[in-house]
Amino acid sequence: MSTSTSLGVVQKFLSEYLNQTPKKLKIVDSYLIYILLTGILQFAYCCLVGTFPFNSFLSGFISTVASFVLAVCLRIQVNPENKLLFSGISPERAFADFIFAHLLLHLVVMNFIG
């Protein structure tokens, strides 16, 4: 595969993403990128510095992974293309479930830290 073909595919993907993706999904996608970068930074810090307070690293990294999974679930439920799959769940209900799951997750993480 040549470089020009790869560049064309990426440009087409970006233009279709910018033109066809609803604003709500773009916001969720930016949150997903933020959480992904946070997890990468935590893992890099762990590799460079060490894991002396192991519970702190583990709870932080588990919190990042779980937040990413919850955000992906929110994105799937809010996506208009999946309306038939989640016909009984409104976007507001999906967001409320996301917030409740986050509160529960962070209670568990804070309890795990000690």
Side-chain angles (χ1 to χ4, degrees):
M1 185 178 231
S2 68
T3 307
S4 63
T5 310
S6 301
L7 187 61
V9 169
V10 170
Q11 286 176 345
K12 181 173 168 118
F13 171 76
L14 285 177
S15 67
E16 286 185 10
Y17 177 80
L18 293 174
N19 293 329
Q20 296 178 1
T21 305
K23 190 174 183 177
K24 288 180 183 180
L25 291 181
K26 289 179 185 175
I27 292 171
V28 174
D29 289 341
S30 63
Y31 177 70
L32 284 168
I33 291 171
Y34 166 73
I35 290 294
L36 181 69
L37 292 176
T38 303
I40 291 170
L41 284 174
Q42 283 181 346
F43 189 73
Y45 180 83
C46 170
C47 290
L48 293 174
V49 177
T51 62
F52 166 61
F54 189 66
N55 282 357
S56 298
F57 163 71
L58 197 59
S59 62
F61 194 71
I62 288 172
S63 172
T64 341
V65 171
S67 295
F68 188 85
V69 170
L70 289 174
V72 168
C73 291
L74 175 67
R75 189 187 194 287
I76 290 171
Q77 290 178 354
V78 173
N79 192 350
E81 293 180 6
N82 297 334
K83 195 165 220 118
L84 293 176
L85 293 173
F86 301 102
S87 59
I89 300 175
S90 68
E92 292 81 13
R93 165 73 191 271
F95 187 70
D97 290 345
F98 172 76
I99 295 297
F100 178 73
H102 254 280
L103 288 174
L104 192 62
L105 167 69
H106 287 91
L107 281 172
V108 169
V109 166
M110 292 303 286
N111 194 19
F112 185 72
I113 288 175

